[in-house]
Amino acid sequence: MMSDEDKGEAEMAKKAKEKQEKKEKDEAIKVFVNSVSLDDVIWDDDESKSILIGKSAQGEKKTKLQSIKGKHPKNLPVPVVKKLCTHFQIGGYKNADKADMCELIVKAAKTKNLKHQMYPSGNANTTNTNADGKKKSKKKGKKKSKATKPKCVTKEGTYYRAILTLFAQDLRPDRSLSSLLDDDSKR
């Protein structure tokens, strides 16, 4: 029969082993997620080849996602799919179920080149750095007073100046209200 000390030691050893296994599993998930790119996502637009992910009150949940780096979507746990969404910088997955997150990943894979074509230099992963690797600081100009007019007001050829000139001619103090009304009726 085991004494209380032996039971306590065995329980502590079991907890330590479980903690180590969880740590190794988390590390394996992290390595997998960091090694995946949108090129590794395989999907099929054919509805007949959609994969059943689960069932809900609305009916069966299917996805066009076939695999991610050789892993079947049914074999990917929800936390891993969420980490993939984060890794691919996909928004709108927080309250979504697994099938919806898989569809978001497919959508991102379909439009991956479109984002780079539309915003070639505006990549979210790039930072403003010097050749030394130090971040560039934005130079702030002098603080302007409240009375300073914006450039659109002072610059020649702007619409604001044209509108201002038009109204200034119609609302000159030397013209009375009756003359303005007479001018409008003649038009």
Side-chain angles (χ1 to χ4, degrees), residues 137-141:
S137 61
K138 292 183 179 179
K139 294 182 180 178
K140 295 184 178 180

mmCIF file of all heavy atoms in Angstrom, residues 137-141:
data_model
loop_
_atom_site.group_PDB
_atom_site.id
_atom_site.type_symbol
_atom_site.label_atom_id
_atom_site.label_comp_id
_atom_site.label_asym_id
_atom_site.label_seq_id
_atom_site.Cartn_x
_atom_site.Cartn_y
_atom_site.Cartn_z
ATOM 1 N N SER A 137 12.046 58.352 -37.254
ATOM 2 C CA SER A 137 11.104 59.151 -36.473
ATOM 3 C C SER A 137 10.444 60.161 -37.399
ATOM 4 O O SER A 137 11.082 60.725 -38.281
ATOM 5 C CB SER A 137 11.819 59.877 -35.333
ATOM 6 O OG SER A 137 12.784 60.747 -35.864
ATOM 7 N N LYS A 138 9.175 60.359 -37.202
ATOM 8 C CA LYS A 138 8.450 61.347 -37.999
ATOM 9 C C LYS A 138 8.749 62.725 -37.433
ATOM 10 O O LYS A 138 8.639 62.949 -36.234
ATOM 11 C CB LYS A 138 6.944 61.080 -37.953
ATOM 12 C CG LYS A 138 6.548 59.810 -38.646
ATOM 13 C CD LYS A 138 5.042 59.657 -38.634
ATOM 14 C CE LYS A 138 4.625 58.402 -39.348
ATOM 15 N NZ LYS A 138 3.187 58.225 -39.332
ATOM 16 N N LYS A 139 9.129 63.622 -38.329
ATOM 17 C CA LYS A 139 9.418 64.985 -37.888
ATOM 18 C C LYS A 139 8.118 65.765 -37.814
ATOM 19 O O LYS A 139 7.338 65.779 -38.754
ATOM 20 C CB LYS A 139 10.384 65.655 -38.848
ATOM 21 C CG LYS A 139 11.752 65.016 -38.853
ATOM 22 C CD LYS A 139 12.687 65.741 -39.783
ATOM 23 C CE LYS A 139 14.049 65.090 -39.782
ATOM 24 N NZ LYS A 139 14.962 65.754 -40.706
ATOM 25 N N LYS A 140 7.925 66.376 -36.697
ATOM 26 C CA LYS A 140 6.733 67.201 -36.522
ATOM 27 C C LYS A 140 7.081 68.637 -36.875
ATOM 28 O O LYS A 140 8.139 69.144 -36.509
ATOM 29 C CB LYS A 140 6.229 67.126 -35.088
ATOM 30 C CG LYS A 140 5.733 65.753 -34.697
ATOM 31 C CD LYS A 140 5.170 65.746 -33.309
ATOM 32 C CE LYS A 140 4.643 64.379 -32.945
ATOM 33 N NZ LYS A 140 4.094 64.350 -31.603
ATOM 34 N N GLY A 141 6.179 69.255 -37.599
ATOM 35 C CA GLY A 141 6.384 70.648 -37.969
ATOM 36 C C GLY A 141 6.071 71.563 -36.806
ATOM 37 O O GLY A 141 5.673 71.137 -35.720
#
